[in-house]
């Protein structure tokens, strides 16, 4: 997940090296060109990743609560969740790259990848929150 944040930050600098004032003038409700669309998609991805990270933190905390009273031979839920999140992030990145591959030669390639990543990241956050709810019953 940290790798994704760093990647998105680097991509933002590489594709849209404008001042903060210029970036704040962009209306992401109506981006006018590819640079603005890329900037807005990267901002949406950062927001989705932030929300997912918060959901992951809550899920991990709940998993640790459930793990604590268990005998040693049954413990391991938090480690399993961390490994699952790492595997999920790798899956998301590779799946979205594959999804966008046919469009790589044009301007849609990057946007297809970013849109895919936003969608899957939001879904993962919802899944983590649903997991917390399942464990609360």
């Amino acid at each position: 997940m940290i790798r994704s944040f760093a990647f998105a930050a680097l991509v933002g600098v590489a594709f849209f090296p404008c001042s903060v004032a210029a970036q704040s003038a962009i209306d992401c409700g109506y981006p006018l060109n590819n640079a603005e669309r890329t900037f807005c998609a990267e901002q949406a991805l950062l927001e989705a990743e932030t929300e997912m990270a918060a959901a992951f933190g809550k899920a991990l905390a709940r998993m640790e609560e459930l793990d604590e009273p268990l005998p040693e031979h049954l413990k391991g839920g938090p480690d399993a969740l961390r490994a699952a999140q790492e595997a999920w992030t790798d899956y998301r990145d590779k799946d979205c790259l594959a999804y966008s591959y046919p469009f790589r030669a044009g301007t849609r390639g990057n946007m297809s990848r970013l849109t895919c990543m936003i969608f899957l990241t939001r879904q993962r956050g919802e899944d983590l929150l649903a997991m917390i709810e399942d464990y609360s019953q």
Side-chain angles (χ1 to χ4, degrees), residues 6 18 39 62 71-72 86 98 118 136:
C18 293
F39 172 79
R62 182 66 179 133
E72 282 304 311
E86 185 177 322
I118 292 164
S136 296

Side-chain angles (χ1 to χ4, degrees), residues 33-82:
N33 55 47
N34 284 334
E36 288 184 2
R37 283 189 287 279
T38 298
F39 172 79
C40 293
E42 289 168 352
Q43 295 307 302
L45 179 58
L46 287 173
E47 181 181 313
E49 286 183 329
T50 299
E51 291 171 5
M52 181 190 62
F56 176 77
K58 290 176 185 176
L60 185 61
R62 182 66 179 133
M63 187 71 73
E64 289 169 345
E65 287 174 22
L66 293 171
D67 213 46
E68 190 171 329
L70 295 175
E72 282 304 311
H73 71 283
L74 295 177
K75 289 186 178 196
D79 291 336
L81 182 59
R82 284 185 198 95

Side-chain angles (χ1 to χ4, degrees), residues 2 30 59 99:
I2 293 170
Y30 190 70
Y99 174 79

Side-chain angles (χ1 to χ4, degrees), residues 14-135:
F15 284 104
F16 205 77
C18 293
S19 68
V20 173
Q23 291 176 357
S24 66
I26 295 171
D27 178 6
C28 286
Y30 190 70
L32 298 175
N33 55 47
N34 284 334
E36 288 184 2
R37 283 189 287 279
T38 298
F39 172 79
C40 293
E42 289 168 352
Q43 295 307 302
L45 179 58
L46 287 173
E47 181 181 313
E49 286 183 329
T50 299
E51 291 171 5
M52 181 190 62
F56 176 77
K58 290 176 185 176
L60 185 61
R62 182 66 179 133
M63 187 71 73
E64 289 169 345
E65 287 174 22
L66 293 171
D67 213 46
E68 190 171 329
L70 295 175
E72 282 304 311
H73 71 283
L74 295 177
K75 289 186 178 196
D79 291 336
L81 182 59
R82 284 185 198 95
Q85 187 66 14
E86 185 177 322
W88 177 87
T89 301
D90 188 46
Y91 161 79
R92 179 203 60 183
D93 294 349
K94 289 177 180 175
D95 188 51
C96 291
L97 181 62
Y99 174 79
S100 67
Y101 223 84
F103 307 107
R104 287 185 69 175
T107 57
R108 288 180 49 195
N110 191 42
M111 289 307 298
S112 295
R113 184 184 58 78
L114 287 170
T115 301
C116 174
M117 291 176 74
I118 292 164
F119 177 80
L120 291 180
T121 303
R122 286 181 179 157
Q123 184 62 52
R124 176 65 176 168
E126 291 172 13
D127 291 346
L128 289 165
L129 292 175
M131 184 177 67
I132 296 166
E133 193 173 309
D134 288 347
Y135 290 153

